[in-house]
Amino acid sequence: MKKYILFDNDGVLVHTEPLYFKANIQALKEYFNIELEFEEYMKIMSEGTTVWQKALNNGFSFAEVEIARNKRNEYYQTFLRTENILIDGVKDVLKELSKDYKMGIVTTSRRVDFEIIHKNLGIVDFMDFVLCEEDYNFAKPHPEPYLKGLELFNANKKEAIVVEDSTRGLSSAYKAGIECVIVKNEFTLTQDFSKANYFIETLKELKTILN
């Protein structure tokens, strides 16, 4: 019997991945005149590498990459403030689930970005806690983020379920020994989800798994 739900954030609760992709495109082009295609970006995300390797491979320095990365973060925050990131039906699903389950968010997002994302959405209102990048020593795919979530709930592994959209997040849940549901996301379609327990098209289907 599940009592606790641990949600990833980006791509699961909010539609932020396209904006992060766009910010990377803009910074790479502006600082290094390098193009980034969607298929290439998907491969980078699947492998867990970085878009900045393209710049390093072209002879640019780590210092130059750091400047571009900071500008990418600025672009991303601007997009978060100005573009629609809501996923249809998510708040209704969370409202319904909150009647029977305790819930938390476990994300690798920086706290500053997370707070911009959720400033006026009302999604966090349904959560018992939020864990961001700064709240643990080792990020996903390390199991620490989800183990810390269990600890905050004072829950055992069998009482909880994780909702993710990436191999990195799935690996974190798997290593923590927690069942994981993968929700479909166009930015992670090519990733390896062979260790997942369940697959859903949208969060609206989550209740059918939990029942």
Side-chain angles (χ1 to χ4, degrees), residues 104 111 137 140 154:
R111 178 71 63 173
N137 297 312
K140 304 171 188 177
N154 193 27

Side-chain angles (χ1 to χ4, degrees), residues 181-192:
V181 181
I182 294 297
V183 62
K184 185 177 179 180
N185 181 348
E186 64 173 331
F187 277 79
T188 59
L189 283 177
T190 59
Q191 297 184 16
D192 177 13

Side-chain angles (χ1 to χ4, degrees), residues 14-163:
V14 286
H15 197 48
T16 50
E17 264 111 339
L19 305 185
Y20 195 67
F21 175 48
K22 186 164 72 167
N24 276 291
I25 289 174
Q26 199 161 322
L28 280 170
K29 180 67 175 176
E30 179 178 342
Y31 283 86
F32 309 120
N33 197 31
I34 291 173
E35 304 286 347
L36 180 64
E37 300 297 331
F38 179 72
E39 291 73 17
E40 186 178 17
Y41 183 71
M42 291 267 282
K43 187 172 186 290
I44 290 169
M45 293 297 102
S46 179
E47 293 172 347
T49 52
T50 169
V51 299
W52 307 114
Q53 192 60 48
K54 287 173 66 73
L56 296 171
N57 290 346
N58 278 275
F60 293 98
S61 69
F62 285 100
E64 290 171 308
V65 163
E66 188 61 24
I67 292 169
R69 181 187 284 112
N70 290 336
K71 180 56 81 171
R72 184 274 313 277
N73 292 340
E74 287 181 28
Y75 289 144
Y76 181 49
Q77 290 180 3
T78 298
F79 297 150
L80 290 176
R81 290 187 177 100
T82 56
E83 301 197 25
N84 180 29
I85 56 175
L86 278 173
I87 297 176
D88 183 51
V90 164
K91 285 183 69 175
D92 291 334
V93 170
L94 295 177
K95 183 178 180 179
E96 185 66 25
L97 290 172
S98 67
K99 298 173 184 176
D100 301 307
Y101 304 91
K102 287 186 171 294
M103 301 183 292
I105 296 174
V106 180
T107 177
T108 51
S109 291
R110 300 183 306 158
R111 178 71 63 173
V112 62
D113 294 332
F114 185 90
E115 290 180 353
I116 293 171
I117 290 167
H118 287 278
K119 185 177 180 182
N120 299 306
L121 297 188
I123 287 175
V124 176
D125 297 344
F126 299 105
M127 303 297 164
D128 284 67
F129 60 81
V130 173
L131 292 174
C132 290
E133 180 187 67
E134 297 87 348
D135 297 320
Y136 34 76
N137 297 312
F138 301 100
K140 304 171 188 177
H142 195 279
E144 183 190 353
Y146 283 118
L147 289 175
K148 189 162 186 179
L150 284 182
E151 184 182 332
L152 289 174
F153 275 141
N154 193 27
N156 66 54
K157 298 172 183 180
K158 296 199 177 295
E159 292 176 315
I161 196 163
V162 166
V163 184

